PDB file of all heavy atoms in Angstrom:
ATOM      1  N   ALA A 845      17.280  36.151  21.124  1.00 86.00           N
ATOM      2  CA  ALA A 845      16.703  37.165  22.009  1.00 86.00           C
ATOM      3  C   ALA A 845      17.768  38.120  22.541  1.00 86.00           C
ATOM      4  O   ALA A 845      17.491  39.301  22.791  1.00 86.00           O
ATOM      5  CB  ALA A 845      15.976  36.490  23.174  1.00 86.00           C
ATOM      6  N   GLY A 846      18.991  37.628  22.702  1.00 86.00           N
ATOM      7  CA  GLY A 846      20.063  38.482  23.189  1.00 86.00           C
ATOM      8  C   GLY A 846      20.604  39.425  22.127  1.00 86.00           C
ATOM      9  O   GLY A 846      21.261  40.412  22.451  1.00 86.00           O
ATOM     10  N   GLY A 847      20.333  39.113  20.855  1.00 85.00           N
ATOM     11  CA  GLY A 847      20.897  39.922  19.787  1.00 85.00           C
ATOM     12  C   GLY A 847      19.925  40.845  19.096  1.00 85.00           C
ATOM     13  O   GLY A 847      20.346  41.777  18.399  1.00 85.00           O
ATOM     14  N   MET A 848      18.628  40.611  19.255  1.00 90.00           N
ATOM     15  CA  MET A 848      17.644  41.459  18.579  1.00 90.00           C
ATOM     16  C   MET A 848      16.300  41.378  19.289  1.00 90.00           C
ATOM     17  O   MET A 848      16.039  40.462  20.068  1.00 90.00           O
ATOM     18  CB  MET A 848      17.487  41.039  17.112  1.00 90.00           C
ATOM     19  CG  MET A 848      16.846  39.676  16.906  1.00 90.00           C
ATOM     20  SD  MET A 848      16.668  39.225  15.150  1.00 90.00           S
ATOM     21  CE  MET A 848      18.368  38.907  14.709  1.00 90.00           C
ATOM     22  N   GLU A 849      15.468  42.368  19.013  1.00 92.00           N
ATOM     23  CA  GLU A 849      14.115  42.418  19.553  1.00 92.00           C
ATOM     24  C   GLU A 849      13.206  41.601  18.639  1.00 92.00           C
ATOM     25  O   GLU A 849      13.122  41.870  17.442  1.00 92.00           O
ATOM     26  CB  GLU A 849      13.660  43.878  19.584  1.00 92.00           C
ATOM     27  CG  GLU A 849      12.341  44.124  20.259  1.00 92.00           C
ATOM     28  CD  GLU A 849      12.028  45.615  20.303  1.00 92.00           C
ATOM     29  OE1 GLU A 849      12.666  46.386  19.540  1.00 92.00           O
ATOM     30  OE2 GLU A 849      11.167  46.011  21.092  1.00 92.00           O
ATOM     31  N   VAL A 850      12.558  40.568  19.182  1.00 94.00           N
ATOM     32  CA  VAL A 850      11.706  39.709  18.363  1.00 94.00           C
ATOM     33  C   VAL A 850      10.293  39.664  18.928  1.00 94.00           C
ATOM     34  O   VAL A 850      10.075  39.865  20.128  1.00 94.00           O
ATOM     35  CB  VAL A 850      12.268  38.280  18.247  1.00 94.00           C
ATOM     36  CG1 VAL A 850      13.541  38.258  17.425  1.00 94.00           C
ATOM     37  CG2 VAL A 850      12.512  37.661  19.615  1.00 94.00           C
ATOM     38  N   PHE A 851       9.345  39.383  18.034  1.00 96.00           N
ATOM     39  CA  PHE A 851       7.933  39.345  18.386  1.00 96.00           C
ATOM     40  C   PHE A 851       7.329  38.009  17.963  1.00 96.00           C
ATOM     41  O   PHE A 851       7.557  37.573  16.823  1.00 96.00           O
ATOM     42  CB  PHE A 851       7.169  40.470  17.673  1.00 96.00           C
ATOM     43  CG  PHE A 851       7.721  41.850  17.929  1.00 96.00           C
ATOM     44  CD1 PHE A 851       8.741  42.364  17.133  1.00 96.00           C
ATOM     45  CD2 PHE A 851       7.234  42.627  18.962  1.00 96.00           C
ATOM     46  CE1 PHE A 851       9.257  43.629  17.349  1.00 96.00           C
ATOM     47  CE2 PHE A 851       7.743  43.900  19.205  1.00 96.00           C
ATOM     48  CZ  PHE A 851       8.752  44.400  18.394  1.00 96.00           C
ATOM     49  N   PRO A 852       6.552  37.359  18.840  1.00 96.00           N
ATOM     50  CA  PRO A 852       5.810  36.164  18.416  1.00 96.00           C
ATOM     51  C   PRO A 852       4.747  36.581  17.392  1.00 96.00           C
ATOM     52  O   PRO A 852       3.978  37.511  17.636  1.00 96.00           O
ATOM     53  CB  PRO A 852       5.164  35.658  19.710  1.00 96.00           C
ATOM     54  CG  PRO A 852       5.902  36.347  20.823  1.00 96.00           C
ATOM     55  CD  PRO A 852       6.347  37.665  20.274  1.00 96.00           C
ATOM     56  N   ILE A 853       4.718  35.908  16.252  1.00 97.00           N
ATOM     57  CA  ILE A 853       3.830  36.315  15.172  1.00 97.00           C
ATOM     58  C   ILE A 853       3.006  35.138  14.657  1.00 97.00           C
ATOM     59  O   ILE A 853       3.283  33.980  14.966  1.00 97.00           O
ATOM     60  CB  ILE A 853       4.635  36.908  13.982  1.00 97.00           C
ATOM     61  CG1 ILE A 853       5.711  35.914  13.538  1.00 97.00           C
ATOM     62  CG2 ILE A 853       5.247  38.247  14.342  1.00 97.00           C
ATOM     63  CD1 ILE A 853       6.367  36.244  12.225  1.00 97.00           C
ATOM     64  N   SER A 854       2.003  35.445  13.842  1.00 96.00           N
ATOM     65  CA  SER A 854       1.155  34.422  13.248  1.00 96.00           C
ATOM     66  C   SER A 854       1.846  33.811  12.028  1.00 96.00           C
ATOM     67  O   SER A 854       2.698  34.441  11.389  1.00 96.00           O
ATOM     68  CB  SER A 854      -0.185  35.022  12.819  1.00 96.00           C
ATOM     69  OG  SER A 854       0.007  35.903  11.721  1.00 96.00           O
ATOM     70  N   LEU A 855       1.449  32.583  11.688  1.00 96.00           N
ATOM     71  CA  LEU A 855       1.975  31.945  10.481  1.00 96.00           C
ATOM     72  C   LEU A 855       1.463  32.661   9.230  1.00 96.00           C
ATOM     73  O   LEU A 855       2.106  32.619   8.181  1.00 96.00           O
ATOM     74  CB  LEU A 855       1.577  30.468  10.459  1.00 96.00           C
ATOM     75  CG  LEU A 855       2.193  29.612  11.568  1.00 96.00           C
ATOM     76  CD1 LEU A 855       1.737  28.167  11.437  1.00 96.00           C
ATOM     77  CD2 LEU A 855       3.719  29.683  11.522  1.00 96.00           C
ATOM     78  N   GLU A 856       0.320  33.308   9.348  1.00 96.00           N
ATOM     79  CA  GLU A 856      -0.190  34.079   8.221  1.00 96.00           C
ATOM     80  C   GLU A 856       0.782  35.197   7.856  1.00 96.00           C
ATOM     81  O   GLU A 856       0.999  35.480   6.673  1.00 96.00           O
ATOM     82  CB  GLU A 856      -1.565  34.669   8.545  1.00 96.00           C
ATOM     83  CG  GLU A 856      -2.173  35.454   7.396  1.00 96.00           C
ATOM     84  CD  GLU A 856      -3.476  36.146   7.762  1.00 96.00           C
ATOM     85  OE1 GLU A 856      -3.939  35.985   8.918  1.00 96.00           O
ATOM     86  OE2 GLU A 856      -4.032  36.853   6.900  1.00 96.00           O
ATOM     87  N   TYR A 857       1.366  35.831   8.872  1.00 97.00           N
ATOM     88  CA  TYR A 857       2.331  36.893   8.586  1.00 97.00           C
ATOM     89  C   TYR A 857       3.558  36.319   7.879  1.00 97.00           C
ATOM     90  O   TYR A 857       4.087  36.937   6.951  1.00 97.00           O
ATOM     91  CB  TYR A 857       2.763  37.598   9.867  1.00 97.00           C
ATOM     92  CG  TYR A 857       3.775  38.694   9.601  1.00 97.00           C
ATOM     93  CD1 TYR A 857       3.365  39.944   9.158  1.00 97.00           C
ATOM     94  CD2 TYR A 857       5.145  38.468   9.749  1.00 97.00           C
ATOM     95  CE1 TYR A 857       4.286  40.943   8.872  1.00 97.00           C
ATOM     96  CE2 TYR A 857       6.073  39.457   9.468  1.00 97.00           C
ATOM     97  CZ  TYR A 857       5.636  40.699   9.030  1.00 97.00           C
ATOM     98  OH  TYR A 857       6.552  41.685   8.727  1.00 97.00           O
ATOM     99  N   VAL A 858       4.009  35.133   8.309  1.00 97.00           N
ATOM    100  CA  VAL A 858       5.165  34.505   7.660  1.00 97.00           C
ATOM    101  C   VAL A 858       4.887  34.318   6.174  1.00 97.00           C
ATOM    102  O   VAL A 858       5.720  34.628   5.315  1.00 97.00           O
ATOM    103  CB  VAL A 858       5.499  33.158   8.325  1.00 97.00           C
ATOM    104  CG1 VAL A 858       6.643  32.465   7.589  1.00 97.00           C
ATOM    105  CG2 VAL A 858       5.867  33.355   9.791  1.00 97.00           C
ATOM    106  N   ARG A 859       3.699  33.827   5.852  1.00 97.00           N
ATOM    107  CA  ARG A 859       3.343  33.594   4.453  1.00 97.00           C
ATOM    108  C   ARG A 859       3.242  34.919   3.687  1.00 97.00           C
ATOM    109  O   ARG A 859       3.757  35.039   2.572  1.00 97.00           O
ATOM    110  CB  ARG A 859       2.035  32.807   4.358  1.00 97.00           C
ATOM    111  CG  ARG A 859       1.618  32.464   2.929  1.00 97.00           C
ATOM    112  CD  ARG A 859       0.382  31.582   2.909  1.00 97.00           C
ATOM    113  NE  ARG A 859       0.687  30.220   3.295  1.00 97.00           N
ATOM    114  CZ  ARG A 859       1.113  29.281   2.450  1.00 97.00           C
ATOM    115  NH1 ARG A 859       1.282  29.569   1.158  1.00 97.00           N
ATOM    116  NH2 ARG A 859       1.362  28.061   2.870  1.00 97.00           N
ATOM    117  N   LEU A 860       2.571  35.913   4.274  1.00 97.00           N
ATOM    118  CA  LEU A 860       2.422  37.210   3.622  1.00 97.00           C
ATOM    119  C   LEU A 860       3.780  37.847   3.332  1.00 97.00           C
ATOM    120  O   LEU A 860       4.037  38.329   2.219  1.00 97.00           O
ATOM    121  CB  LEU A 860       1.602  38.156   4.507  1.00 97.00           C
ATOM    122  CG  LEU A 860       0.086  38.028   4.497  1.00 97.00           C
ATOM    123  CD1 LEU A 860      -0.513  38.892   5.604  1.00 97.00           C
ATOM    124  CD2 LEU A 860      -0.480  38.437   3.149  1.00 97.00           C
ATOM    125  N   ALA A 861       4.650  37.861   4.343  1.00 97.00           N
ATOM    126  CA  ALA A 861       5.958  38.511   4.206  1.00 97.00           C
ATOM    127  C   ALA A 861       6.843  37.784   3.204  1.00 97.00           C
ATOM    128  O   ALA A 861       7.553  38.413   2.405  1.00 97.00           O
ATOM    129  CB  ALA A 861       6.645  38.593   5.568  1.00 97.00           C
ATOM    130  N   THR A 862       6.808  36.443   3.229  1.00 98.00           N
ATOM    131  CA  THR A 862       7.640  35.668   2.314  1.00 98.00           C
ATOM    132  C   THR A 862       7.151  35.809   0.878  1.00 98.00           C
ATOM    133  O   THR A 862       7.951  35.979  -0.057  1.00 98.00           O
ATOM    134  CB  THR A 862       7.656  34.183   2.723  1.00 98.00           C
ATOM    135  OG1 THR A 862       8.008  34.064   4.099  1.00 98.00           O
ATOM    136  CG2 THR A 862       8.660  33.404   1.892  1.00 98.00           C
ATOM    137  N   ALA A 863       5.837  35.750   0.670  1.00 98.00           N
ATOM    138  CA  ALA A 863       5.278  35.887  -0.675  1.00 98.00           C
ATOM    139  C   ALA A 863       5.592  37.265  -1.254  1.00 98.00           C
ATOM    140  O   ALA A 863       5.944  37.400  -2.440  1.00 98.00           O
ATOM    141  CB  ALA A 863       3.769  35.646  -0.640  1.00 98.00           C
TER     142      ALA A 863
END
Side-chain angles (χ1 to χ4, degrees):
M848 68 180 72
E849 187 177 17
V850 291
F851 304 87
I853 54 168
S854 69
L855 295 181
E856 182 185 358
Y857 179 81
V858 176
R859 183 175 285 274
L860 279 171
T862 308

